[in-house]
Amino acid sequence: MTNFTIRKGERKDQFAAFRVFRLSLYGLLQKMTVIETIPAAAEIEKLYEYYRSFLDHIYNTCDQFWVAEVDREVIGYARSIVRDGVRQLTEFFVMPDHQGLGIGSQLLVKAFPKEDSQNRVICASPDTRALIRYLKTGVRSRTTIYEWSRIPKVIPFETDLVINIIEDTPAHIAILNDIDSTIIGYTRETDHHWLIKNKRGHFYSRNGQVVGYSYFANRAGPIAMLHNADFSTALAHIETEMTKTVDDVYNEIILCVPMNNPAAVDYVIKRGYHTNAFFEHFLTDQPLGHYENYIFIDPILIT
């Protein structure tokens, strides 16, 4: 029986937790034949720096962060955030050689309480054991999310929408809150402050009324549109602009599309995007928002 301890996570645990995240994910992807080999340690270090701002934002704004240790080595962790009364499990990973020992169950109890939340959210991998554990907490599947990708191209498009830059002002944050309340079912000002600082944000307006927003940089999302048909314009705009922003780590645009979003699915099919066997379940305690009008941030660590 492996002796392990559970303790609160600290800033010093950030890289160790990320290493657990990547190695656990790589192990699952290898089982699913999405990848053939596990990347070297140097690749994990490179990716940590690549995602560091995003990971620091999650750490700085999280509500619960717990790690599991064996012989003072982090071998598992779980973390959740709370936005407007909605708790989201952002990460939950245990090293493959320490799974099935009860470590995950204890981490989940610590990081994903139900009592103080109006609703709870998980974007869960297709790992069956983890999915069963989540379902036992009371959450249920609302849709599935697939990652669609391709080398971005310039896409000519005509539209009646006016496209403007999002700025970090009270007026713009209020607009974002109104859209989020409708589309994702809650507000998340702290995330928008980070998104505006670290990505290129745009509003889409018709007849003087904002009808959606998008963010992108070297990665795409989130994208929310009040009218599903407007995704064709938003995605053409984003793909065109991302011809200038993709990098040598991921040289493709990746769209994390809920499969109940008809306009987004039509777009990626017509544009020749490709996907693979990996997908995520969108789980909540109670029905939430209108995710048929949404595309998630890439990577999906927060909604």
Side-chain angles (χ1 to χ4, degrees), residues 2 40 59 73 99-100 109 111 115 123 141 157 170 177 198 287:
T2 301
Y59 174 82
E73 178 185 357
Q99 293 176 7
V109 168
E115 293 75 19
C123 293
S141 179
F157 62 93
N177 285 343
N198 291 277

Side-chain angles (χ1 to χ4, degrees), residues 273-291:
Y273 281 62
H274 55 88
T275 190
N276 57 48
F278 185 82
F279 66 94
E280 296 188 58
H281 300 277
F282 181 66
L283 310 171
T284 67
D285 282 324
Q286 303 296 330
L288 182 69
H290 293 276
Y291 286 82

